[in-house]
Amino acid sequence: MDPESAPRPRGGDTLRHGRIERGHAMASGEQGEQVDEIQLWFARQLRDFVAGAGDPSYRQLAREIERLGASLSKSTIERILNGRTHPKPEVVEQIVRAAHAYAGRPDEPDLGVWERHYDRLRERLIVIGHGSRTVANAVADEQGRIWPRRLGSIPGAVEAFQERLDLLAGRVAGSFVLTGTGGVGKTQAAAEYVHGRLATGDLDLAIWISAGARDTIVSGMAAAATDLTGASYQDPELMAHRLRTWLAGTRHRWCVVLDDLSDIFHVQGLWPLPSARGITLATTRRQDAGLRGYGRRVEVGVFRHDQAVAFLRARLPADAGSDDDLAALAHDLGFLPLALAQVSTYMCDRELDCRTFRARWADTRRRLADLVPEPSALPDDYPVGLDAALELSVLEADKLHPAGSARSVLQILSVLDPNGVPESVLRTPAATALMPSGHEDLRRDALRDGVRNLRRLNLLDIAADDATAATRILRVHVLHQRSTAELMSAARRYEVAQSAAQALLDSWATPASGSALDRMLRANAFVLYRREPEALFTPEPHEVLFRMGRSLGEAGQAAAAVEHFQQIDARVHDRTAGTSALAFKSRGYLAWWLAQAGRHGEAADAFESLYADQAEVLDPEDPDLLQTRQSAAVWRGHSGDLDVARQQLEQLYLERIRIQGPHHRDTISNRNHLANFRSYCGDFQGAWELHDQALRETEARVGPDHPDTLRARATAMRHRGEMGEIQRAVEAYRALAEHLQGASPEHPSTFSARHQLHEWVARGGQPDAAVAGMERLLADRLAALGPEHPHIFDSRILLIRWRNRSGDRERALAEADALRRDLERTLGPDSVFARAIPAALEP
């Protein structure tokens, strides 16, 4: 009777070993003595257990066995307990259970101990019978198997595989955790490592185990242990531990792969023990801190540019496109290997070239599932389509506490820039309001935890950015963005887009124009605008639309700001009457940036047209109407009509004094513009009189040493300099610059004062000293503001002008050429700064 058909005692687990035929182990001489020795050892263990249970007689044991539902003669019991025969596993179990019952002990006996004792007995008998060096070899010889061994389903090589695990090159021992988002090819990388070592004869044993759940790990390890040792305990956990012990002691070179580990708990107590002969690889989407104790982390990311092009070139027909077309396709797919594999298969099945497919991909009406093969046509034995693979990671992250937070965070990020979202955006009330918890403090915590949960599943990268300093940068893959957005309802997408817009606007309250954070917020705003334009115009244009245009212009891209506000103005005009407050606002922004782009005549026309329309609906003394009138005059003057501008500003100045009073900020602004145009018209005395009045008022209000007074004095002395008293201008700007330098050396006002100081020093006949000062100013501005800030271009133009006039024309020309190239790259060839270069090079 075999073990499966033998009578079973009632309750509990049972011993389930394969039968050991004594004929395998019987031999004469020394081998026979070895058999007797191990058999007597086992009998002694069993006798000691029976004695400890009250030392029942053979007859008493036989009665207990019969009472438990089995049958065993007292003579058989006597031979077993005296080591004259080796027992079957079910017989050992019957004796153990009978002794346990005779002693009146509760519950079930610990059969695990006897499983291990019996395993030792069986292995020793096999080794003795075969004379093999190891148990594994002996079992393999007995069953007709050979080395190297492959246990588990090792995935085959994929077409056009790209080698990326440089860190594992040459390694044959240790533990490594291959981590990365779903679809980067972690499993294929591990499989390629195994196949490579097997092919070179460098590996004796490869064990591949699916690690999606603890029971699959245990069963995989148990199956491997059975194969390697011949043992087959009913308790798979014991078999898994048997494998760990075997791997730690074997002289064979081995590799265990735990594929797609989804939870740290699943490997607790199961991770293979360290061995100089073995290597353990785990592939996982996770990067929890708890994984650090299991092995060295190996990041598996998306393809590099060259890898993606090589991969697509190998899988697509030659006429699918040029290398540039392939690179553009790879960029659209975020260089994700799974996406490249499935999309290339889809393209081949439908005979599409890169440009045709990219047109489909860009059509947001098409879902991801519509752009990859059907489930029955997926390549590389991958079990699910791209959309399902992406969602799987999100589902896992969303289960982590607090449940639901990860998806809410990802929804916000899905409408923003995949290249980087400042973490400060997510700290705003608008962003936290999207979290599922009802209390504000809990929502803040949930959002923070949601970010970290996404990171734990490799769905999000958090990077420190020295340029932004005040915040960290969150990056999410473009395909996760698209997948998440597709799963949102229209109502939820509107809610998320509106909240994201407000969060960006709130985050824009602090960063300086042209700073790295300002650029990043602007980039995110434009991504949001492209993806969710209707949400930003419903029910009316969101304020972030105006803020992003202003940021664009303040960064020196005035022409781009004009184009942006032309779009906004057209959308507003389509939705509202031309005389609505929104229409006036958008037209005002457009006119202003036309002026800043150097299109002064168009700006003047735009402001005059706006003034005419506002005059029909606003009170003649309305501040907005007066301000539009002032802007129209200023830019009419800058377009060439200096006298017209001066006359209009004179008249408006008197009206403002009457309507708003002489000390209103708008009146003071009007006075400053009037002074400037008096100066432009050659009336330096008249200009100085107005600014001298401003100086006296400021000094009377805040005292002689206040920064506002120093600024007012410098402005007034500028006109004295224009009248020939250059030293007074130099002294005034030096005092202002020194005060500001001591108080706030990197403030834009400090840099501006230094700029003016060097200009007047140069005009005072000391161009060399001015050039040296300008070089220091440029270096300081670069360190504080970065190379693309508009003030940097101001400094470079000033330096070119005075370097040229000081006699160093060759260097001035070289710096002008470098500036033209930088401007063309950043702002385009027709920027205000580019148009200023020829004047700077005049003698």
Side-chain angles (χ1 to χ4, degrees), residues 220-264:
M221 294 181 71
T226 298
D227 190 282
L228 292 167
T229 68
S232 181
Y233 303 157
Q234 182 170 346
D235 185 350
E237 288 271 356
L238 289 173
M239 287 300 292
H241 289 290
R242 179 77 184 106
L243 176 66
R244 296 177 77 217
T245 303
W246 185 90
L247 290 172
T250 183
R251 289 190 292 267
H252 287 289
R253 297 163 300 180
W254 54 267
C255 175
V256 173
V257 179
L258 301 168
D259 186 41
D260 197 19
L261 177 64
S262 60
D263 195 307
I264 300 174

Side-chain angles (χ1 to χ4, degrees), residues 17 20 42 113-125 135 229-233 239 242:
H17 286 267
I20 305 174
F42 184 83
V113 173
W114 296 101
E115 287 169 341
R116 290 189 288 274
H117 288 340
Y118 196 86
D119 188 40
R120 179 178 175 185
L121 168 66
R122 182 179 185 278
E123 289 175 355
R124 185 62 183 161
L125 290 175
V135 174
T229 68
S232 181
Y233 303 157
M239 287 300 292
R242 179 77 184 106

Side-chain angles (χ1 to χ4, degrees), residues 719-747:
H719 299 304
R720 302 304 299 182
E722 289 165 341
M723 289 187 284
E725 301 178 45
I726 293 177
Q727 191 58 34
R728 295 185 68 178
V730 170
E731 291 172 357
Y733 276 111
R734 178 171 285 119
L736 176 61
E738 290 176 353
H739 177 87
L740 295 177
Q741 182 73 19
S744 184
E746 295 186 354
H747 194 278

